[in-house]
Amino acid sequence: MVKLGRTIKLRLCPDTAQADQFLAMSQEYQRLANIVSQWIFDHGFQLSWLKINHHLYKEFRQESELNSQMIQSVFRTVSARYKTVREQLKQHSYRYKNEESKWIQVPRDLNWLAKPIQFRQPQADLVRQSNYSFVDEMRKISITTLGKRTKLSFTDKGFEKYFTDDWKLGTAKLIHNQGKWFLHIGITKEISDFDTKNDPQIVGIDRGLRFLATVFDSEGKTLFFDGQKILHKRKKFIEIRRCLQSKGTKSAKKRLKQLAQRENRWMTDVNHRLAKTLVTAYGSHTLFVLEDLTHVTFNTDDLPKSLRNSHRSWSFFQLETFLTYKAQAIQSTVVKVSPAFTSQRCPKCGLVEKTNRHHDTHEYWCKQCQYRCNDDRLGAMNIEMLGQEWLNGVKHPKIEKLTTAG
C-alpha cells in the first residue's frame, strides 16, 4: 500500500468580525514563527521540535494569546520549513570552475543561509478537531481564533468528491489572499502500489521546447505534443515584461508582479492538462519513464533570440510532479533515468554518435546502419528502452557509449 496525498482548498465566508479575528490570529502566528526562525538560526539550526519546545514554550504561553496547540503548531511549521529548505539546498550544489576550468560541485546545507527564513504572510496551521472541525452535517466549519472558536460557512466547489470516508483529513493552513480567506486541508488515502509484474505498459517521455512532450510506448506508438503555441505565448510575456521593466515606475512594478502570477497560473494549467492527458491515454498499470533533468540545459540554436533564455525558467519539474501524483492515483508510477546519450543512440544498431543528430532538420540519421528517425521520437524510444531495463531489475539504467555496432 502507498499513501496518496492531496490538498483541498476551501473558500471561507467570514463576516467582518470573523475576518478580523482570523487576521489577528494569523498575524500572531506569523510573529511567533519569525521569532522561532530567528532562534533556530542563532542556535546552529536546531530543528528538533522537542528542543525548540523546551526553550520557547513557556515564554510563548506567557506572552501570546495563542492556545497551547497552536504554539506547538508554530514550532512544527518553522521546523518543517527549514527541513524543506535544507533538502532544496542539498539538491542544488554550488558549482564553480576551478583553475583548470573543471566544474566543481560543493554540497550546500543550512549554514549557507545568510539570514533566518522569514514568514512574510499571515498564516496559521490548524490541527484537525483541535483547531478546526466540520459541524452542522458538514455545512459549516468551526475554527479556533485568539478568543474562542467561531462557526462559518464555506465553499468546496470542485472538491466535493474528497469528503468521503476513503480520505483522511489532516492539518489545514489558513491563508489570507487578496482580501479573501481560504483553508487548505491536507488529505491522504491509502491505495495499492504499482505492481511491476504482469508486463506493465512502458511509456518513454522526452520533454523539450519545440515539443512539450514526445511519447513512445511499448507498443511502438508515438504521440507528439506541440509546444509552438506555448513558445509564442511565452514570447509575448517576455516582450510585455521587457517593456514594463524599461518604465521602472511603481505602477509598472505592480503590473510586473501581476504578469508573473498570470504566467505561472497559465503554465501550471498547461502542465496539469498535459499530465492529465497522459494518464488518461495510458491508464493504470503504466510505467512512465522520464529523464532526470537536474542540471541539464537544452540546445536553443533553433529558437528565436527572444526565446533563447526561456528554457531556463521552463517548468519541467512541475510537469514531472503533476504526472507523478496523477499516475500514483491510478496505480501507475513514474521513474527517472539518466539522460546521457538518449538523443545520440541508434535504437537499431546501438551506435552512440553525436553527429548523427541533425538539429537543423530535427532528424537522426545513423551513419552505420542508415536508420532514420525524428530526433525527438528517437529520444523517447531510448527513454522507453531504459524503462524496460528498470523493470528488469537495473536500479540506475543508463546508456553506455558505444562507437561500433553492438
Side-chain angles (χ1 to χ4, degrees):
M1 301 294 287
V2 64
K3 186 171 288 187
L4 184 65
R6 291 286 187 275
T7 300
I8 57 176
K9 302 177 182 179
L10 307 183
R11 168 78 183 277
L12 302 180
C13 306
D15 57 30
T16 303
Q18 290 172 327
D20 290 341
Q21 291 173 350
F22 288 160
L23 184 60
M25 178 186 67
S26 57
Q27 287 177 339
E28 176 64 6
Y29 196 99
Q30 175 195 7
R31 184 182 74 86
L32 296 187
N34 283 320
I35 294 175
V36 175
S37 181
Q38 182 68 57
W39 185 91
I40 291 175
F41 185 83
D42 294 338
H43 292 79
F45 302 104
Q46 291 278 356
L47 300 183
S48 168
W49 168 79
L50 289 175
K51 290 184 178 179
I52 299 172
N53 180 78
H54 176 73
H55 287 87
L56 298 177
Y57 177 76
K58 289 184 179 179
E59 177 184 343
F60 283 3
R61 283 294 288 156
Q62 292 174 357
E63 70 171 40
S64 176
E65 294 183 65
L66 287 182
N67 63 30
S68 176
Q69 181 65 64
M70 295 285 286
I71 291 176
Q72 305 289 351
S73 293
V74 171
F75 299 152
R76 291 188 173 92
T77 296
V78 181
S79 179
R81 180 73 66 85
Y82 270 95
K83 289 177 181 178
T84 299
V85 172
R86 183 176 61 187
E87 290 302 313
Q88 292 172 342
L89 290 170
K90 188 185 298 184
Q91 293 172 11
H92 297 86
S93 302
Y94 176 69
R95 302 173 73 238
Y96 69 95
K97 284 187 176 181
N98 62 10
E99 296 177 354
E100 299 175 355
S101 296
K102 292 184 178 180
W103 282 103
I104 304 296
Q105 290 192 3
V106 179
R108 296 196 297 171
D109 57 22
L110 290 175
N111 290 306
W112 283 69
L113 294 179
K115 58 183 180 180
I117 295 173
Q118 292 294 307
F119 292 79
R120 303 184 185 280
Q121 298 294 331
Q123 66 171 67
D125 286 351
L126 309 176
V127 176
R128 167 80 163 150
Q129 301 299 351
S130 296
N131 304 132
Y132 82 94
S133 58
F134 292 94
V135 295
D136 297 343
E137 298 181 349
M138 297 291 289
R139 290 193 298 268
K140 289 189 176 183
I141 188 168
S142 173
I143 299 178
T144 297
T145 64
L146 292 180
K148 59 181 180 179
R149 293 176 74 99
T150 183
K151 291 196 299 184
L152 67 158
S153 58
F154 62 91
T155 302
D156 61 351
K157 185 177 181 181
F159 298 99
E160 300 90 344
K161 62 181 180 180
Y162 295 110
F163 286 96
T164 67
D165 295 335
D166 293 336
W167 291 93
K168 182 179 179 181
L169 277 66
T171 300
K173 186 176 291 292
L174 183 67
I175 295 175
H176 187 222
N177 185 23
Q178 296 182 350
K180 302 173 183 178
W181 288 95
F182 300 89
L183 195 66
H184 294 184
I185 306 176
I187 58 176
T188 57
K189 181 174 71 171
E190 288 192 347
I191 60 172
S192 299
D193 202 354
F194 175 73
D195 187 3
T196 58
K197 300 178 181 179
N198 301 323
D199 298 322
Q201 183 171 206
I202 306 173
V203 177
I205 304 174
D206 181 60
R207 292 166 289 174
L209 302 177
R210 196 168 63 96
F211 290 104
L212 290 180
T214 304
V215 182
F216 182 83
D217 60 36
S218 50
E219 297 180 358
K221 297 180 181 179
T222 307
L223 293 176
F224 292 92
F225 295 89
D226 191 10
Q228 295 298 326
K229 291 183 178 179
I230 305 298
L231 287 171
H232 180 69
K233 189 164 184 177
R234 174 149 289 190
K235 182 180 178 181
K236 286 187 175 181
F237 276 116
I238 292 173
E239 290 172 351
I240 297 173
R241 188 181 300 112
R242 185 175 297 138
C243 180
L244 291 171
Q245 287 172 341
S246 64
K247 291 182 179 181
T249 61
K250 186 176 181 179
S251 60
K253 292 178 181 179
K254 182 179 179 180
R255 180 78 179 101
L256 275 170
K257 185 177 180 180
Q258 294 173 341
L259 185 70
Q261 294 173 343
R262 179 184 171 190
E263 185 176 7
N264 287 337
R265 289 194 300 270
W266 161 70
M267 199 64 219
T268 297
D269 180 63
V270 169
N271 283 325
H272 260 305
R273 285 188 283 115
L274 178 54
K276 185 177 181 180
T277 299
L278 289 171
V279 298
T280 302
Y282 292 101
S284 61
H285 203 48
T286 299
L287 174 66
F288 295 99
V289 191
L290 301 173
E291 294 172 299
D292 185 354
L293 297 180
T294 307
H295 302 312
V296 173
T297 57
F298 294 84
N299 185 300
T300 58
D301 294 340
D302 57 340
L303 293 177
K305 288 185 178 179
S306 60
L307 291 173
R308 292 281 170 87
N309 290 326
S310 67
H311 70 293
R312 299 186 185 280
S313 59
W314 208 256
S315 46
F316 292 114
F317 178 73
Q318 188 185 67
L319 173 61
E320 176 185 314
T321 302
F322 292 165
L323 181 61
T324 298
Y325 84 75
K326 290 179 187 293
Q328 189 182 51
I330 58 171
Q331 287 77 54
S332 294
T333 194
V334 172
V335 64
K336 294 192 292 184
V337 298
S338 171
F341 310 120
T342 54
S343 62
Q344 302 175 24
R345 175 186 175 273
C346 174
K348 186 175 181 181
C349 69
L351 175 70
V352 176
E353 180 56 58
K354 185 177 182 180
T355 57
N356 284 347
R357 185 181 185 186
H358 305 282
H359 291 281
D360 53 343
T361 60
H362 302 291
E363 185 181 37
Y364 182 91
W365 190 347
C366 181
K367 63 183 180 182
Q368 180 166 267
C369 69
Q370 305 305 309
Y371 177 80
R372 299 179 70 170
C373 179
N374 173 275
D375 57 354
D376 293 302
R377 180 175 184 268
L378 175 111
M381 293 173 70
N382 284 321
I383 294 169
E384 187 271 340
M385 180 271 297
L386 292 175
Q388 182 63 63
E389 290 188 6
W390 183 84
L391 274 182
N392 292 337
V394 181
K395 291 184 178 181
H396 304 289
K398 64 179 181 179
I399 295 174
E400 301 294 340
K401 185 171 184 180
L402 301 177
T403 53
T404 57

